[in-house]
Structure formats: C-alpha cells, structure tokens
Amino acid sequence: MAATATLSHTDAENLSKLKSAVATLDQISENEKSGFINLVARYLSGEAQHIEWSKIQTPTDEVVVPYDTLAPVPEDPSETKNLLDKLVVLKLNGGLGTTMGCTGPKSVIEVRNGLTFLDLIVIQIETLNAKYGCNVPLLLMNSFNTHDDTLKIVEKYANSNIDIHTFNQSQYPRLVVEDFSPLSTKGNAGKDAWYPPGHGDVFPSLMNSGKLDALLSQGKEYVFVANSDNLGAVVDLKILNHLINNKNEYCMEVTPKTLADVKGGTLISYEGKVQLLEIAQVPDEHVNEFKSIEKFKIFNTNNLWVNLQAIKRLVEAEALKMEIIPNPKEVDGIKVLQLETAAGAAIRFFDEAIGINVPRSRFLPVKATSDLLLVQSDLYTLSDGFVTRNPARANPANPSIELGPEFKKVASFLSRFKSIPSIIDLDSLKVTGDVWFGAGVTLKGKVTIAAKSGLKIEIPDGAVIADKEINGPEDI
C-alpha cells in the first residue's frame, strides 16, 4: 500500500495497531476490513486534494449538457425496449427515518395516498416493464441499519413484474479518537460501534456483493443511482439514450441552484477534468463566492448514471479514491470518528464523464415534514407512481415552508392536519407553536401562524388565509 510511505512514525504505529485490532473483528468480511484500513491509511497520509481556486473553470455545454439539447428518444418501441434492457435502477436505501420520528428505513414512510417511497419506485418500474416488455431490475443498497426491515418489506412485492435485489453497503468500525482503536473493542458490542461509510461505497459494495458481475452477465450496461427519498429521480430515456450513444461512463444530473441549495456540491472543470466541488473543499475566503448563485449556477442532485463495466474496471484497480469526509461523533461520551465518501465525487475517475443540467422537477427530495406537506398537497398529482407538479401553479419555484418542532415527527405532523391545505397560490408559510388545521383550508401569499406559549390556534374547516399573520384566534 503506497499510502503508508508518507505516514509519520506515530501514524504508522497507529495504523499497524488498528490493522491487528480489525483483523480480530468477526462481524465483518475480509473485503470490509481491507476497505476500511485503506480508507484510514489514505486519511492519515493527508492526501486530501487541495483545490487551487484560480484553476477552477466553469464547465462548457459539452461538459454540462443542457437537458433540452438531448436528442429525442427513438419512436420505435422495440428500440426503447432495447435501451431499457441495458438499465438497472439502484436506490440508496441505507437511511433511517429517525429525523422524521420513524423507526425503520426512511423509504417506508408514506408519501401520498397511503403509498411509501418504495411503493412508488416499484410502481414506476413496473409501469415501464409492462409498457415496453423490458426487464429493468431494482436494486436496493441497504445499510446494516435497514437490511432486516427491508427484507421483510420487499416480500410484499413478490408477485410484481420486477426483479428486486438487495445488498448491503460496507459496515465499518467507528474509530475511537483518543487511541485510534475500533469502538467495538471497547466493550460496545451494539450497532453504535459501527457505521456505513457514505454512498461513495456503492461501487465496491456492488462489486463485493456479486451483484455487479451478475448484472453484467445479463447484458446490463448502466446503473441509475439515486436517493430513495428523491421523488423526482425517475428513469429518463433521453438521458440513457444520450449516454449510450456518446459512450459516457458517468453522468451526474445537476439542476439550477436556488437560494435553498447554496450548500450543494457543484460541477467544475479543473485541469481538464470535470469534478465535483463540495463546500467542505472550499477555502474559507471563497465560501461566499461558492454560495453565490451567479458564479456557481448548478448543484448535484445525486441522480447518477454510471457504466457498469467502468465500475468493475475502476474498483478492481482500486482507482476510486474519492475525497474523504471525516464525520466526528460522540457515542456514550466517547469521541469517535467515521470516515465517509460520496458517490458524486467519483466523477473525475471515469472516462467521458459529463453532467446534464436537468429540470428542477427531477429533484424532489423529502428530508423533513415540510417537504411532505408539499408533495401531499394539491401542488402535485400522482399517476402510475409518478409524482407530477400541478400545471395550475404559475410560479416555477415551490413555496418555502417552515414548520415548528411540533410538526417535526410524521405522526404529529399528520395529526395536526385534518387534510393538507391547498397551497397552489402560496408563497411562504411559517408555523410555530400549538397550531391545528381543519379540513379544506386554503393558504395564499405569505402566511405566518405563530401561537404563543400555552395558546392553541385552530384554523377552522374551509378557511381561506391570504397574506396574513395570525397570532391568536381573533386574527383568523
């Protein structure tokens, strides 16, 4: 391992001790052990890539292709079937719904009409398979946190017209900062001693699970990777067609930045290659420039299209050395470190890599109950598993919604709305305190509802509230 050559004496000793300790961990595979030690060695050698600000260039339309310049999809359904038969859909399903007050995998939160993220994904792919007579399989990359629950959940799709495969991303030991030992050797035997190392791990895990070779043997060529909570991440034939025709090994979907996305990673041209620039890599004196939407106009949606043969080539060569993201945590009062990588950062290792500047509709993540309010409202309709924006809304941007802590958990959010209000003409909504909504409420313009401590505000059924600030029942 070349990385160890540049290590200080202490670091080399730490790494060697860590290697011996990791060798005794029987919870994880040999692949996981060596992957983890490699990651730590790279981290210790300080090989972080420093960006020279003056060398950053704005990518041209050849590098970040405008969506509306893509060629139309072939009209012959048999050609479309051939395209789709080369595709695999992979959803990143390692996250728990804890921030929204749920216990299991986030993908089983009900989004709309009683259907979960996973239900919608399955219906979308089933619809494609039925329409074109193709066989697009669905892969779910779980973490050890979501694996058992997901296996139970996918049983309900046993009779559907779709092959569903699950595999686990790596399980790495959390590192005790003080003495650089695995937390699991400190008597903490539970799940807290481990972590999944970010979605950059999708490439080696696909390979280590045996799924990659199986897919290649079935003639599959591309994988479409997306977060399971992004309702806009649906299969797009124009993108797939473009990548196959142009032999692009990697494509990142980017979309125009709004003020809500200023921290999102962006694509740059750097020393002749396209690469992802994340806020963590930006020197302090340039952070404001990075956040401005004038210079960096696009951000990464984490919808990625990647050639399977290229993944195999690069994983075998151990060439995917993505930037390491150190994530410090505390477990039972012990300071620990987890080292992670992101799949988007792999773009610079692939040949003919591009971005495609896609419409905002392909980025509809549900990270909090405020996002749930948007997708459950009349702003969107649902058909064949596809969540589509209501053309009756003139403003291309969604309303900004801020809900207080009383609405943070899904169960309490749902209990506070008899039905989701109509928000087609809403610009912004801010709700704080003990507020309850009746049925058939309409919100327009800028609305603020703030209940003072100890006061309860109930919005009556059928109320229409336009450009109003409500501090008590008398304001309604």
Side-chain angles (χ1 to χ4, degrees):
M1 206 186 320
T4 45
T6 52
L7 294 187
S8 73
H9 180 66
T10 321
D11 284 343
E13 269 189 7
N14 278 340
L15 190 64
S16 158
K17 274 198 328 214
L18 181 63
K19 225 172 171 167
S20 315
V22 167
T24 66
L25 301 174
D26 48 11
Q27 299 93 324
I28 56 175
S29 68
E30 291 307 314
N31 278 332
E32 286 168 311
K33 290 175 187 176
S34 67
F36 174 67
I37 292 295
N38 265 328
L39 193 61
V40 176
R42 281 179 53 214
Y43 173 70
L44 288 176
S45 71
E47 57 143 67
Q49 204 217 2
H50 294 291
I51 296 273
E52 277 188 57
W53 199 254
S54 58
K55 289 187 180 176
I56 290 178
Q57 291 179 309
T58 304
T60 62
D61 285 359
E62 276 72 67
V63 179
V64 176
V65 182
Y67 182 83
D68 48 19
T69 65
L70 298 181
V73 175
E75 284 181 14
D76 181 350
S78 68
E79 283 188 51
T80 304
K81 175 190 184 311
N82 287 344
L83 274 181
L84 284 166
D85 277 334
K86 296 176 177 171
L87 182 68
V88 185
V89 174
L90 191 161
K91 297 288 179 171
L92 302 170
N93 191 50
L96 293 167
T98 38
T99 38
M100 293 164 79
C102 302
T103 48
K106 188 175 175 186
S107 57
V108 299
I109 291 174
E110 286 187 9
V111 186
R112 194 160 172 136
N113 305 9
L115 298 170
T116 65
F117 289 106
L118 214 46
D119 292 337
L120 295 177
I121 291 163
V122 168
I123 295 167
Q124 288 163 13
I125 298 177
E126 273 196 308
T127 304
L128 269 183
N129 286 343
K131 183 174 177 183
Y132 295 105
C134 54
N135 173 25
V136 176
L138 171 64
L139 273 75
L140 299 171
M141 182 168 85
N142 298 315
S143 64
F144 58 86
N145 289 315
T146 60
H147 172 75
D148 295 346
D149 285 339
T150 304
L151 284 188
K152 291 193 199 91
I153 291 155
V154 296
E155 283 174 9
K156 75 172 185 176
Y157 308 120
N159 301 323
S160 63
N161 168 29
I162 174 174
D163 289 336
I164 301 180
H165 306 267
T166 62
F167 67 100
N168 269 20
Q169 73 177 109
S170 307
Q171 173 174 338
Y172 285 175
R174 282 179 162 156
L175 267 181
V176 178
V177 173
E178 191 189 15
D179 63 356
F180 237 67
S181 62
L183 183 58
S184 51
T185 57
K186 289 276 188 278
N188 185 329
K191 276 189 173 174
D192 281 348
W194 306 90
Y195 76 97
H199 46 61
D201 183 56
V202 63
F203 305 117
S205 294
L206 198 53
M207 177 96 176
N208 294 339
S209 65
K211 298 291 178 199
L212 183 60
D213 285 332
L215 294 166
L216 285 168
S217 70
Q218 292 163 23
K220 303 298 179 193
E221 291 179 23
Y222 277 87
V223 60
F224 173 42
V225 180
N227 297 356
S228 60
D229 66 6
N230 179 5
L231 295 171
V234 300
V235 170
D236 187 295
L237 286 164
K238 280 171 82 165
I239 295 178
L240 179 62
N241 187 42
H242 183 88
L243 302 180
I244 289 174
N245 288 339
N246 293 279
K247 302 194 167 37
N248 301 110
E249 289 188 345
Y250 187 111
C251 165
M252 174 187 290
E253 291 184 40
V254 292
T255 197
K257 229 187 219 187
T258 67
L259 292 172
D261 321 298
V262 290
K263 290 184 177 160
T266 192
L267 283 183
I268 56 171
S269 288
Y270 190 78
E271 298 185 330
K273 298 239 12 157
V274 57
Q275 70 181 61
L276 181 67
L277 176 65
E278 297 274 16
I279 194 162
Q281 297 164 283
V282 176
D284 291 347
E285 66 271 23
H286 293 291
V287 166
N288 284 339
E289 196 181 337
F290 176 82
K291 286 180 171 178
S292 95
I293 53 184
E294 269 70 62
K295 177 163 180 176
F296 298 101
K297 295 184 164 68
I298 51 172
F299 75 100
N300 170 21
T301 62
N302 219 37
N303 298 348
L304 310 170
W305 302 73
V306 195
N307 179 284
L308 293 168
Q309 207 71 57
I311 295 175
K312 185 178 167 77
R313 179 186 82 233
L314 291 167
V315 170
E316 282 178 343
E318 292 188 13
L320 292 175
K321 294 180 161 45
M322 281 89 88
E323 289 75 11
I324 295 170
I325 307 157
N327 188 353
K329 302 255 180 189
E330 204 167 287
V331 180
D332 303 330
I334 299 173
K335 287 189 164 50
V336 296
L337 185 62
Q338 46 190 59
L339 303 176
E340 302 171 12
T341 61
I347 190 166
R348 63 194 175 94
F349 301 107
F350 288 84
D351 295 336
E352 307 295 327
I354 57 168
I356 292 182
N357 194 349
V358 298
R360 182 73 189 203
S361 57
R362 294 190 55 75
F363 184 65
L364 185 60
V366 178
K367 300 289 181 200
T369 50
S370 52
D371 300 322
L372 214 46
L373 175 60
L374 288 174
V375 299
Q376 292 186 348
S377 75
D378 55 356
L379 265 188
Y380 289 91
T381 51
L382 180 68
S383 89
D384 292 341
F386 296 93
V387 177
T388 317
R389 206 156 179 275
N390 186 338
R393 180 173 173 86
N395 185 344
N398 277 342
S400 79
I401 295 182
E402 284 180 62
L403 301 175
E406 298 77 6
F407 291 81
K408 190 179 174 184
K409 296 188 169 173
V410 175
S412 44
F413 163 82
L414 292 172
S415 70
R416 287 175 176 273
F417 290 97
K418 264 199 213 166
S419 71
I420 299 292
S422 163
I423 58 172
I424 289 224
D425 298 313
L426 179 70
D427 296 322
S428 65
L429 172 67
K430 191 171 184 182
V431 183
T432 48
D434 188 12
V435 178
W436 299 77
F437 290 82
V441 172
T442 302
L443 303 173
K444 299 179 175 190
K446 291 187 164 68
V447 178
T448 305
I449 306 170
K452 294 183 188 68
S453 176
L455 182 72
K456 179 180 184 178
I457 295 181
E458 296 186 65
I459 308 293
D461 294 355
V464 177
I465 298 171
D467 291 309
K468 231 177 184 183
E469 189 168 322
I470 295 172
N471 300 108
E474 68 284 353
D475 298 329
I476 297 168

